[in-house]
Amino acid sequence: MDAGSDLISPEMSRRRAAAARQPLQEAGSRPYMPSLCSTPRNPAVKCYGDRFIPCRSAMDMDMAHYLLTEPRKDKNAATPSPAKEAYRRLLAEKLLNNRTRILAFRNKPPEPKSILTELRADAASIQARPAKKRRYIPQSAERTLDAPDLVDDYYLNLLDWGSNNVLSIALGSTIYLWDAANGSTSELVTIDQDNGPVTSVSWAPDGRHIAVGLNSSTVQLWDSSSNRLLRTLQGVHESRVGSLAWNGNILTSGGMDGKIVNNDVRIRNHAVQTYRGHGQEVCGLKWSGSGQQLASGGNDNLLHIWDVSMASSVQFAGRTQWLHRLEDHLAAVKALAWCPFQSNLLASGGGGSDRCIKFWNTHTGACLNSVDTGSQVCALLWNKNDRELLSSHGFTQNQLTLWKYPSMDKMAELTGHTSRVLFMAQSPDGCTVASAAGDETLRFWNVFGTPDAPKAAVKTSHTGMFNSYNHIR
């Protein structure tokens, strides 16, 4: 066999490499690798593949060392002319200021100010500030009192807390007084069967006198310090008086006959003004903090705003006198609460077919917001020290709900009552709330926190003694 038959020709290698690559493929997918042949075309020449291996025996080490260490001489270098030398010197003086290095690094450059550095500093300062302590809201009642014979009637108002820190509650035909300072209970009066039962109670601003609305359409004024009946207001209403509200010396009464009457308790002819606008029972009455506007809610699903300047006298009682007639609720409107930090803001709550809390601008009559609570709204109370609203409800949870205003986010839900929470009253310091329900219990909730400077009349000697029920009989 021929000695050169084992050699692979360059043309054959090129053809084999072309055949191994697929057509219409991405170029460079398979990089070209040169063939590593062990046998060169010329047998006299040794082939070491792709590596260069010098032969040191054929090198002159002395000549290589001389060439590496000998300074290079520019064969084309010539002595510069005087004109070029003068130009170089003038350029150095005028333009470079005799500096040999243009970009001279002399001092350490200042650290760049980054917005991230400022943000980190702000975050550190915020973390250093003491965080505002979140108020603890107890989920259970602070105290529970038994309230037998409490009338389970949505349209009545049988609970009120006076400025002298005495709570009044009507149980059937009897009115009881509970002194929050010492926890003592006393009986104010028991109404006879001809006039009873009691349908509404309301403390006068002085915290001493109390108005009592009766099923017989009359209103009585009592002195709580002496348990003495001062006077009886008759001939004003034709049926039971389910709502009462004080405005200084003016006692406003609302009856099942739909009438609202302003009674000046200082004079003989006490009925000084009459408002007509409701076609059914008036179940909610609240005067604004300024005493200039009155809100009334009725079983006819209407909410009225009355203004003192527009009120007419008795002889013109048939004239419509409301400032705003609001018809947005779909059920009876009993729950009413004027905002303590915004004089023209009113909150109202609807009954079982409505279930909404609505907020009103009483200057314009505009509805600012409406929140569906999911259950009957029985009563509303504002927090006097913060922007919060408390609502009490009926079916299905019978709970009290604390809302953050104006976001109306739920802050807490207080449960414990087993029947609808019909009535609520607020302590004079604005921190404790009493609730009475159809389950015949009266519960006290520390829902609005502790006052910064509690009044002297408020004592805490009873704290911790809530394991057993106290009975009001």
Side-chain angles (χ1 to χ4, degrees):
M1 185 176 291
D2 188 4
S5 61
D6 293 335
L7 298 179
I8 302 175
S9 65
E11 182 64 22
M12 187 178 296
S13 299
R14 186 184 63 80
R15 291 179 179 179
R16 289 183 179 180
R21 298 172 60 186
Q22 297 296 325
L24 302 179
Q25 294 293 321
E26 183 74 13
S29 60
R30 293 189 60 182
Y32 172 73
M33 298 295 293
S35 176
L36 301 180
C37 59
S38 59
T39 305
R41 288 176 296 175
N42 188 358
V45 180
K46 293 183 179 181
C47 179
Y48 298 97
D50 60 342
R51 295 185 299 167
F52 171 72
I53 303 176
C55 183
R56 298 185 184 276
S57 60
M59 295 180 62
D60 189 347
M61 301 302 294
D62 293 336
M63 179 58 70
H65 182 269
Y66 171 78
L67 294 176
L68 289 173
T69 57
E70 181 185 18
R72 294 183 179 181
K73 296 180 180 181
D74 190 357
K75 296 181 179 180
N76 297 325
T79 303
S81 64
K84 290 184 178 181
E85 184 65 23
Y87 174 75
R88 185 193 62 78
R89 186 168 54 252
L90 184 62
L91 183 65
E93 291 177 358
K94 300 298 182 181
L95 185 60
L96 303 179
N97 295 326
N98 291 323
R99 289 182 299 175
T100 58
R101 298 175 62 188
I102 297 177
L103 300 177
F105 183 75
R106 299 181 183 275
N107 299 323
K108 183 178 180 181
E111 295 183 359
K113 291 185 179 180
S114 173
I115 188 173
L116 295 178
T117 305
E118 297 179 0
L119 291 176
R120 292 191 190 100
D122 294 341
S125 62
I126 293 174
Q127 292 178 358
R129 299 174 190 170
K132 184 178 179 181
K133 187 177 180 180
R134 187 174 181 180
R135 188 178 82 250
Y136 170 69
I137 303 174
Q139 299 297 304
S140 58
E142 182 184 17
R143 167 176 284 193
T144 302
L145 305 180
D146 187 23
D149 299 328
L150 180 70
V151 180
D152 187 359
D153 193 328
Y154 177 80
Y155 304 100
L156 305 184
N157 293 273
L158 305 178
L159 183 68
D160 197 21
W161 205 326
S163 59
N164 285 342
N165 208 19
V166 177
L167 185 78
S168 63
I169 184 170
L171 304 178
S173 297
T174 304
I175 297 177
Y176 293 92
L177 304 180
W178 182 79
D179 192 338
N182 52 32
S184 62
T185 303
S186 61
E187 180 181 328
L188 176 66
V189 62
T190 298
I191 307 298
D192 57 72
Q193 291 183 354
D194 294 336
N195 293 316
V198 178
T199 52
S200 57
V201 294
S202 180
W203 283 101
D206 60 7
R208 176 181 174 182
H209 300 94
I210 185 172
V212 179
L214 302 177
N215 190 59
S216 62
S217 77
T218 61
V219 178
Q220 296 182 351
L221 298 179
W222 286 80
D223 186 343
S224 63
S225 61
S226 60
N227 285 24
R228 184 167 60 94
L229 176 63
L230 300 179
R231 67 179 301 183
T232 300
L233 308 180
Q234 296 178 333
V236 175
H237 295 281
E238 301 173 1
S239 53
R240 70 178 186 181
V241 181
S243 54
L244 296 168
W246 287 89
N247 186 15
N249 295 312
I250 301 297
L251 173 63
T252 304
S253 57
M256 184 179 282
D257 54 9
K259 290 195 302 183
I260 301 172
V261 181
N262 284 344
N263 301 275
D264 191 337
V265 298
R266 300 169 296 180
I267 60 178
R268 180 181 296 273
N269 297 324
H270 50 82
V272 294
Q273 291 162 340
T274 301
Y275 303 147
R276 294 185 181 273
H278 290 283
Q280 296 187 36
E281 182 171 13
V282 179
C283 51
L285 279 178
K286 283 291 167 57
W287 280 99
S288 64
S290 63
Q292 296 299 309
Q293 290 186 330
L294 172 69
S296 66
N299 192 29
D300 50 8
N301 308 345
L302 295 178
L303 171 62
H304 286 95
I305 306 298
W306 313 85
D307 195 276
V308 171
S309 62
M310 299 178 63
S312 63
S313 57
V314 175
Q315 55 266 31
F316 302 108
R319 177 182 175 185
T320 56
Q321 306 155 11
W322 61 75
L323 176 63
H324 299 295
R325 183 186 183 98
L326 308 172
E327 305 177 0
D328 292 28
H329 282 290
L330 303 177
V333 184
K334 175 194 175 185
L336 299 171
W338 288 92
C339 179
F341 53 83
Q342 186 174 339
S343 60
N344 63 325
L345 178 60
L346 174 72
S348 63
S353 299
D354 181 77
R355 305 179 302 275
C356 290
I357 299 176
K358 297 182 184 296
F359 298 91
W360 308 90
N361 183 336
T362 58
H363 288 171
T364 64
C367 182
L368 305 178
N369 191 14
S370 180
V371 179
D372 190 347
T373 66
S375 58
Q376 180 186 50
V377 183
C378 301
L380 292 171
L381 287 176
W382 286 95
N383 186 347
K384 297 179 181 179
N385 306 312
D386 206 345
R387 295 176 180 264
E388 299 170 356
L389 181 69
L390 182 67
S391 58
S392 68
H393 300 272
F395 183 80
T396 58
Q397 297 184 29
N398 307 311
Q399 83 281 15
L400 283 75
T401 303
L402 183 62
W403 309 84
K404 187 67 177 177
Y405 183 84
S407 64
M408 293 305 288
D409 295 329
K410 287 185 180 181
M411 299 179 62
E413 285 194 343
L414 311 177
T415 58
H417 284 292
T418 57
S419 182
R420 55 183 180 174
V421 188
L422 296 169
F423 319 111
M424 286 198 304
Q426 194 171 11
S427 62
D429 61 10
C431 298
T432 305
V433 172
S435 62
D439 58 7
E440 297 187 345
T441 62
L442 176 64
R443 297 172 187 262
F444 295 85
W445 312 84
N446 187 19
V447 63
F448 289 145
T450 303
D452 296 334
K455 296 182 180 180
V458 180
K459 299 181 181 180
T460 57
S461 58
H462 58 271
T463 303
M465 301 173 60
F466 312 135
N467 295 328
S468 61
Y469 286 76
N470 292 324
H471 297 269
I472 298 179
R473 297 294 183 185

